[in-house]
Amino acid sequence: MTDDPPPNPALLPSGLRDLLPPEAETEAAAVEAMMDTFAAHGYQRVKPPLLEFEDSLLAGSGSAMGDQTFRLMDPDTRRMMGLRADMTPQVARIATTRLVRASRPLRLSYAGQCLRVYGNQLDPDRQLAQAGIELIGHDSPDADAEIVLVAAEALALLGLTRLSIDLTMPPLVPTLLDEAGTTQEARARLARALDRKDAAAVAERGGPLAATLTDLLLSAGAADRALAALDAAALTPGARVLADRLKDSVAAIRARAPGLKLTVDPVEFRGLRYHTGVCMTVYAPGRHEELGRGGRYVCGDTEPATGITLYPDAVLRAAPPRQAKTRVYLPAGADHARAAALRAEGYATVAALDPVPDACAEARRLSCTHLLSGDALVAVKSE
Amino acid sequence: MTDDPPPNPALLPSGLRDLLPPEAETEAAAVEAMMDTFAAHGYQRVKPPLLEFEDSLLAGSGSAMGDQTFRLMDPDTRRMMGLRADMTPQVARIATTRLVRASRPLRLSYAGQCLRVYGNQLDPDRQLAQAGIELIGHDSPDADAEIVLVAAEALALLGLTRLSIDLTMPPLVPTLLDEAGTTQEARARLARALDRKDAAAVAERGGPLAATLTDLLLSAGAADRALAALDAAALTPGARVLADRLKDSVAAIRARAPGLKLTVDPVEFRGLRYHTGVCMTVYAPGRHEELGRGGRYVCGDTEPATGITLYPDAVLRAAPPRQAKTRVYLPAGADHARAAALRAEGYATVAALDPVPDACAEARRLSCTHLLSGDALVAVKSE
């Protein structure tokens, strides 16, 4: 009989990982820098719990995350609880319950960790950091623009100055199909073709809308071209209202940030599970990874809202590295007041716990580039 | 037939709660301020995941939290995972696996959320924030002192300058009982009496140690008195070594922070489940709530380590309130450059999304104390 070998203690479940120095520090600093930008624009921080009753967590806009939510039984009440997979539904819950009487528009921010049951090939992580803002109680192009501009400013302060923002209007195509009386079956086949961006299939399956949808599909890209295609398209009245709103939101962003790179995809509608208006995805230049995404939704039963969530893990991968603190070794007996002054100037001091024969060697061993000698800060030559 | 009433969406499971403005902001700022102090003393941040395999999470020092740990099945491997109830065992795991080759002493810091299955009467919260440091690979009074002093400095920077630190040596009494050949049964009865601080019962059940244990029990309080009682006590050799170490650690703290209020409880041994040396609990003046606790333990199988965890929720309740940003209302058409300059100076700006007839009234409605009029920052009179 053989025992199973003991499990490797360094092994973590797939999609879960340790952040080590210096990444953990860089990520935390990035989150706080984003939260500072949000606060500077009047967004006030809330902190919902990691765990809440399943029926409140998955109500409304939260239902889209049902498959991705870990469940636990509350030993107290025997009711099921869920570990949040997304914070936006929690913030919406706070806005419609405890902050229901707060003045509108209500600007809230949040940062925290989320867990999901499965990773995917594109993003294997099962623990995701989020940092975001919600602007609740206002439906206007200026509100859409504010969300985009505040997020772009937060990322710019982290060195991500050449962003690309992709704007979509998920209800546009479904509204067009509804108003054109497309059958359920034709619609499902078209949706698959649009999803795959397969222009030939869209042309074949689009029926009377084939030309319009193909034009719109092929226009996706630089905002001007896509908006011109929307202008020229033969849209039904409801779809026209949505197209005009997308155009107005783009104009509102442009008015404030003429240099921001905007793309528009008029036929994209993946966000539709809870998005009801202009949506946005943020990319770093030359990268396919999303730095954040958001869009318009209904908060509670009736309140217009929009918001954006940034992903600190992705931001960390895209942003230029952060300058770490200079580490200064304090030999035994070093002047405590001078050491405190160095810390106040931004240095990290590393105190000796034993006397050592060679302070320089010890400083190097502890990854210090300097040591304190009397009153002097001395650079330690690398070996 | 009646339906159950729909559950109240505002209801959270007991012990779980939302932090609202301004508390969520204050708590986050307190955590980052603590982490900054830790970083200034050379502690490098790590971020373990919320969830890991049960057998690694509950190994070694983690086993003490077994009852308090929520379990989940990993759908991937069908192995059980645990939601962390404490971060120290995770940091110890990182030190003994991925950072096993990093130079010692290894100074690590961490901040994050923990979940536990049950709250208790004293502290009903089931989600706890932690922010702490671990000093791994060194066993000395100076190491014990560093942990205490860095924690005290972090709290002082949050306005908590009149702390009280209670120091204990959990293995002292068990060592004394072992060396005195106390029977298992007598020991259990004594332990209950000591736990309840019941001097009469200790005197009655203490056998040959009755006088020594009663003296020590009654000496708990101001450090000088308790250490004098320890000096005077008839201790067995192993217990004397522990008592001397406690005294040396107190002296090391005193040498660096003569003004810090220290108490000593020589017979306290509740921490023994994994603590092997000097332990500390931090209190704010006049409050019974713990702001943090820590102590010496064995990291992995053999490495000496000490550490302390601060509890941001408790710190938030004890610390003086933080100055919130001044909110400035930006009427429609306000100068964007001037608004950006205000934000850079630390103001929060709240942009109008609609023109309003009375900007002052609107500013008040949005909790702004000022508004931007042309280039001028104008105070808004309260009604």
Side-chain angles (χ1 to χ4, degrees), chain B residues 144-166:
Chain B
D144 296 338
E146 178 172 313
I147 287 290
V148 170
L149 294 167
V150 171
E153 182 179 324
L155 293 169
L157 290 173
L158 295 170
L160 290 162
T161 48
R162 292 172 50 244
L163 300 172
S164 166
I165 316 271
D166 192 47

Side-chain angles (χ1 to χ4, degrees), chain A residues 105-141:
Chain A
L106 181 63
R107 290 173 167 94
L108 299 175
S109 67
Y110 55 91
Q113 306 297 314
C114 298
L115 286 165
R116 53 187 199 184
V117 177
Y118 296 102
N120 57 44
Q121 242 182 340
L122 212 65
D123 179 7
D125 286 345
R126 292 199 285 173
Q127 177 171 335
L128 286 114
Q130 295 191 334
I133 46 177
E134 306 297 328
L135 174 47
I136 294 157
H138 208 273
D139 183 359
S140 69

Side-chain angles (χ1 to χ4, degrees), chain A residues 14 18-19 40-41 47 50 74 76 93 103-104 107 126-127 138 256 336 343 349 351 354 365, chain B residues 14 18-19 40-41 47 50 74 76 93 103-104 107 126-127 138 256 336 343 349 351 354 365:
Chain A
S14 68
D18 296 316
L19 283 190
H41 285 275
K47 182 192 173 199
L50 284 166
D74 179 12
D76 225 29
R93 172 183 58 71
S103 297
R104 265 50 178 174
R107 290 173 167 94
R126 292 199 285 173
Q127 177 171 335
H138 208 273
R256 292 282 301 279
H336 291 312
R343 288 191 293 272
T349 61
D354 294 305
R365 197 181 69 80
Chain B
S14 68
D18 296 316
L19 282 189
H41 285 275
K47 183 192 174 199
L50 284 167
D74 179 12
D76 224 28
R93 172 183 58 71
S103 298
R104 264 51 177 175
R107 290 172 167 95
R126 293 200 283 173
Q127 178 171 335
H138 208 275
R256 291 282 300 281
H336 292 312
R343 288 192 293 271
T349 61
D354 293 305
R365 197 180 69 79

Side-chain angles (χ1 to χ4, degrees), chain A residues 32-346:
Chain A
E32 290 314 310
M34 292 186 229
M35 296 305 287
D36 278 351
T37 302
F38 300 160
H41 285 275
Y43 287 80
Q44 296 184 292
R45 190 166 185 148
V46 294
K47 182 192 173 199
L50 284 166
L51 206 55
E52 46 178 283
F53 287 126
E54 187 181 16
D55 41 24
S56 74
L57 194 64
L58 303 181
S61 59
S63 61
M65 299 308 287
D67 293 349
Q68 278 287 27
T69 302
F70 278 114
R71 266 77 160 189
L72 286 167
M73 189 185 281
D74 179 12
D76 225 29
T77 57
R78 316 271 162 183
R79 286 175 60 190
M80 291 309 287
M81 304 188 290
L83 268 165
R84 68 177 176 219
D86 184 14
M87 294 182 76
T88 300
Q90 295 191 296
V91 178
R93 172 183 58 71
I94 291 173
T96 53
T97 56
R98 297 187 59 189
L99 295 181
V100 70
R101 284 179 221 291
S103 297
R104 265 50 178 174
L106 181 63
R107 290 173 167 94
L108 299 175
S109 67
Y110 55 91
Q113 306 297 314
C114 298
L115 286 165
R116 53 187 199 184
V117 177
Y118 296 102
N120 57 44
Q121 242 182 340
L122 212 65
D123 179 7
D125 286 345
R126 292 199 285 173
Q127 177 171 335
L128 286 114
Q130 295 191 334
I133 46 177
E134 306 297 328
L135 174 47
I136 294 157
H138 208 273
D139 183 359
S140 69
D142 280 341
D144 297 338
E146 178 172 311
I147 287 290
V148 170
L149 294 167
V150 171
E153 184 179 323
L155 293 168
L157 290 174
L158 294 169
L160 290 162
T161 48
R162 292 174 49 245
L163 300 172
S164 163
I165 315 272
D166 192 48
L167 297 158
T168 62
M169 179 56 100
L172 198 156
V173 165
T175 301
L176 181 59
L177 299 184
D178 276 351
E179 292 181 331
T182 313
T183 65
Q184 211 50 41
E185 197 204 339
R187 197 175 158 140
R189 295 193 311 139
L190 245 176
R192 276 195 301 277
L194 286 165
D195 233 13
R196 293 201 311 269
K197 312 278 182 208
D198 180 345
V202 170
E204 184 198 318
R205 300 173 189 171
L209 294 173
T212 300
L213 288 173
T214 313
D215 284 353
L216 292 180
L217 179 66
L218 296 175
S219 77
D224 289 332
R225 196 180 58 160
L227 293 178
L230 267 176
D231 266 349
L235 297 183
T236 54
R240 173 56 63 200
V241 169
L242 293 168
D244 287 348
R245 171 57 179 274
L246 177 57
K247 198 171 146 184
D248 291 345
S249 295
V250 169
I253 298 168
R254 283 262 169 83
R256 292 282 301 279
L260 195 57
K261 185 179 169 197
L262 301 180
T263 58
V264 168
D265 185 344
V267 301
E268 174 65 48
F269 62 101
R270 276 181 307 177
L272 190 62
R273 281 201 292 180
Y274 70 86
H275 284 123
T276 58
V278 175
C279 288
M280 63 290 289
T281 309
V282 185
Y283 298 94
R287 296 182 71 101
H288 292 294
E289 195 172 37
E290 295 177 6
L291 301 181
R293 61 156 63 210
R296 184 159 287 284
Y297 61 98
V298 176
C299 179
D301 294 326
T302 55
E303 212 173 7
T306 183
I308 191 164
T309 304
L310 301 179
Y311 307 129
D313 306 289
V315 170
L316 176 65
R317 286 186 283 267
R322 186 166 165 275
Q323 182 72 39
K325 279 178 188 279
T326 301
R327 283 165 70 88
V328 179
Y329 177 68
L330 302 180
D335 179 349
H336 291 312
R338 179 79 171 103
L342 286 173
R343 288 191 293 272
E345 285 173 46

Side-chain angles (χ1 to χ4, degrees), chain B residues 4 15 33 40 83 97 100 174 178 184 204 219 243 289 299 333 340 350 359 363 371:
Chain B
D4 283 336
L83 267 165
T97 55
V100 70
D178 277 351
Q184 210 51 41
E204 184 197 317
S219 77
E289 195 172 37
C299 179
V350 178
L371 62 77

